[in-house]
Amino acid sequence: MALFAILCKDKPGALDTRLATRPTHLDYLNQSTGLKLAGALLGDDGHPIGSLLIVEAEDLAAAQAQADNDPFTTAGVFESVEVRPWRVAIGAL
């Protein structure tokens, strides 16, 4: 198992879709195995502009599948989704 960071950036004007999809998104995350941390990236106005997730997965393909199946992804909230191997340098999960 390895850790992966999933960095998602919202499409411009996607806030309404994000808010409407949020309950389904949270249900998906709460049922996800391997999820370590998740939260919204915020703009200067305090509104969400993306998401950051840290997941533990078997490999990059499994982490990518988790990102691909996220309701925010399937609803078209995200402009981009990047999945990268990640490691803890300071602190603990």
Side-chain angles (χ1 to χ4, degrees):
M1 298 293 270
L3 292 172
F4 297 88
I6 303 173
L7 180 62
C8 310
K9 295 181 183 175
D10 289 4
K11 291 178 182 174
L15 182 58
D16 288 343
T17 303
R18 173 183 266 275
L19 295 175
T21 309
R22 188 170 187 268
T24 306
H25 165 74
L26 292 178
D27 286 344
Y28 174 77
L29 294 182
N30 283 319
Q31 295 173 18
S32 297
T33 58
L35 180 67
K36 299 298 182 185
L37 298 169
L41 299 171
L42 304 176
D44 293 338
D45 61 2
H47 290 110
I49 58 168
S51 297
L52 174 64
L53 298 89
I54 303 298
V55 300
E56 186 175 47
E58 190 65 36
D59 54 25
L60 180 62
Q64 184 68 56
Q66 183 164 351
D68 291 345
N69 293 312
D70 188 307
F72 278 173
T73 302
T74 59
V77 171
F78 298 136
E79 178 176 69
S80 65
V81 176
E82 185 174 358
V83 181
R84 294 283 184 184
W86 184 80
R87 69 173 171 244
V88 177
I90 297 174
L93 293 177

